[in-house]
Amino acid sequence: MGSKNKKPEGNQKQDILSSDIAKESMTSYVSKYSPSWVVNHPKDAPGYHLELIERIRQGVKKSDWKDLIHHIGSTEKEFEDILPTSISSMQKKEVYSLETSERIYEISRLYGLGYEVFDSPDQFKNWLMTPSKALGNKRPFDFLDSSFGFEIVTNEIIRIQYNVYS
């Protein structure tokens, strides 16, 4: 009887291990703490926020920005009015300023939360582009040009997550 209990326990460990390997392989092409990585790990490891602050201070690399855009299935043009600098200025730089880097990480974290709460990335993107009564019949995406706007949109996503509608 004791050996029966051990076998399922071993299978559970194998399932957990397989799940961890699958998650890791899905994101193995991005470097840890890059904006694309943040989309898949919105609340990961200890020291997470401290590392993100350091990454913001160092500046986001152009290649990491391009990876993020590709990862979330968007275009740079879609974020033109959200970023604190023009897309043409961004094309000329290899590493972005503190302000631009911070906005890129805000986008990453918001998309990570949205992907976690909504059933699919497409449903989250649709929600971002649909006028919301709770936001004065404005699209959530229209608020993403400021940190305060990100906070408002994040709070709305959390309300949806916990079924607390305004």
Side-chain angles (χ1 to χ4, degrees):
M1 201 185 244
S3 63
K4 285 183 183 178
N5 289 340
K6 286 183 182 177
K7 189 172 184 177
E9 190 175 300
N11 288 340
Q12 288 173 345
K13 287 180 183 177
Q14 183 62 38
D15 290 344
I16 290 169
L17 180 60
S18 297
S19 172
D20 289 344
I21 291 169
K23 183 178 178 183
E24 190 61 36
S25 68
M26 286 185 346
T27 59
S28 63
Y29 68 95
V30 296
S31 64
K32 191 170 185 177
Y33 298 111
S34 72
S36 294
W37 183 89
V38 169
V39 172
N40 293 325
H41 303 85
K43 307 177 246 192
D44 221 16
Y48 174 79
H49 291 106
L50 297 175
E51 181 64 30
L52 294 187
I53 290 168
E54 187 58 34
R55 295 290 177 119
I56 289 166
R57 288 177 178 160
Q58 290 173 3
V60 171
K61 296 175 189 170
K62 183 194 301 187
S63 60
D64 287 339
W65 165 243
K66 300 275 188 187
D67 287 344
L68 173 65
I69 293 300
H70 177 73
H71 185 75
I72 62 176
S74 295
T75 64
E76 289 179 306
K77 182 123 177 82
E78 291 175 64
F79 294 97
E80 187 171 48
D81 296 329
I82 290 173
L83 295 165
T85 190
S86 70
I87 299 298
S88 62
S89 292
M90 290 176 72
Q91 296 298 330
K92 297 173 188 171
K93 296 181 179 178
E94 290 303 314
V95 178
Y96 302 128
S97 70
L98 178 75
E99 188 178 17
T100 301
S101 296
E102 185 168 34
R103 187 60 47 83
I104 290 169
Y105 272 101
E106 285 176 323
I107 292 167
S108 303
R109 293 184 69 217
L110 184 80
Y111 273 74
L113 177 62
Y115 288 2
E116 185 179 295
V117 172
F118 288 81
D119 290 334
S120 72
D122 288 337
Q123 284 184 354
F124 172 63
K125 288 179 189 177
N126 186 48
W127 177 82
L128 273 178
M129 298 304 178
T130 303
S132 168
K133 252 173 98 171
L135 299 174
N137 289 321
K138 293 183 180 171
R139 301 178 320 159
F141 194 82
D142 294 335
F143 288 88
L144 302 182
D145 60 349
S146 71
S147 292
F148 189 62
F150 270 91
E151 186 178 331
I152 290 169
V153 173
T154 297
N155 288 339
E156 284 305 307
I157 295 170
I158 292 169
R159 284 187 178 111
I160 291 167
Q161 183 177 27
Y162 293 105
N163 295 317
V164 179
Y165 296 100
S166 303

